[in-house]
Amino acid sequence: GSIKAMTNITSKEVDGKKVRLTDEEIKENADSKFTNGIVTLFTNASTIKQLVRKDLTSKEETGSPTLYLALGTITGFNPGINPNAPEEKLVAPFLLLPVTVSKDRGSEAYTLKYDFESLMLNKTFFEYYKVRKGISFDYLYSIDPATEYTTLVNELLKNTESDLILDQKKAFLANFSFSHMVMWQDVV
């Protein structure tokens, strides 16, 4: 499949003149929104170019892609080394979908191409959390997020041991390296 994403405009028209948006206005538009099941991504063109370049470099060096559409975020609390210190807030992508991005000729639009069957749970986060908190999420790993999304979410939310918070309304495009995943698999 593919998704069309428009880059936001870094200027606006005021009284017939182009005026640069403030950093706050640009940052406000840098979020993603779900509208009737369609993901709309807002960012500036240079950010997309940087993400694509980093992905291409990684593919050349390691053969592995790093560009993903992250769907949803999972928030947990990491106990510090010092038991008297407050817990550190951890926020990570919930689901990851590998994508390729290409710029549409003669347009400000980009096309994100993906294979929905490649949608995967962010096991790196759950393995890290398991090591830090001692809570196993292995029961989630056999659930296919592409075909059993509701089951996956319900099973996660039924876990009364964990203090995880799931935000299903966020989506963002980012580069991720899974070198730590290999390390967590060795630990487990």
Side-chain angles (χ1 to χ4, degrees), residues 120-169:
M120 63 182 149
L121 182 68
N122 183 1
K123 292 181 184 178
T124 304
F125 172 82
F126 289 102
E127 287 301 316
Y128 176 81
Y129 212 68
K130 177 179 166 181
V131 169
R132 297 299 293 194
K133 290 270 194 154
I135 301 170
S136 176
F137 296 94
D138 293 347
Y139 61 95
L140 296 176
Y141 299 166
S142 62
I143 302 171
D144 180 9
T147 59
E148 300 176 81
Y149 176 77
T150 304
T151 303
L152 178 65
V153 170
N154 289 338
E155 287 299 315
L156 175 64
L157 297 177
K158 279 194 319 192
N159 185 335
T160 56
E161 281 186 273
S162 80
D163 56 359
L164 297 177
I165 301 165
L166 177 62
D167 183 346
Q168 300 175 64
K169 294 182 180 179

Side-chain angles (χ1 to χ4, degrees), residues 32-146:
S32 60
K33 300 173 184 170
F34 282 105
T35 308
N36 298 326
I38 298 171
V39 180
T40 306
L41 302 169
F42 299 94
T43 189
N44 61 45
S46 66
T47 301
I48 291 177
K49 287 177 189 173
Q50 289 171 354
L51 291 169
V52 170
R53 280 189 200 121
K54 189 171 182 179
D55 183 55
L56 291 173
T57 301
S58 175
K59 284 179 185 173
E60 288 172 7
E61 292 175 358
T62 67
S64 299
T66 62
L67 191 58
Y68 291 86
L69 180 62
L71 301 171
T73 59
I74 191 91
T75 303
F77 300 90
N78 186 18
I81 295 171
N82 177 353
N84 297 325
E87 292 186 318
E88 174 189 8
K89 184 177 174 181
L90 301 172
V91 180
F94 177 53
L95 299 174
L96 296 164
L97 182 63
V99 296
T100 57
V101 176
S102 60
K103 186 171 186 319
D104 296 350
R105 288 188 167 185
S107 169
E108 289 299 311
Y110 286 81
T111 300
L112 282 70
K113 294 182 182 169
Y114 60 89
D115 176 7
F116 201 68
E117 297 300 315
S118 300
L119 183 66
M120 63 182 149
L121 182 68
N122 183 1
K123 292 181 184 178
T124 304
F125 172 82
F126 289 102
E127 287 301 316
Y128 176 81
Y129 212 68
K130 177 179 166 181
V131 169
R132 297 299 293 194
K133 290 270 194 154
I135 301 170
S136 176
F137 296 94
D138 293 347
Y139 61 95
L140 296 176
Y141 299 166
S142 62
I143 302 171
D144 180 9

Side-chain angles (χ1 to χ4, degrees), residues 21-30:
L21 294 175
T22 65
D23 288 342
E24 275 113 28
E25 289 173 313
I26 292 171
K27 190 173 183 179
E28 284 174 21
N29 287 334

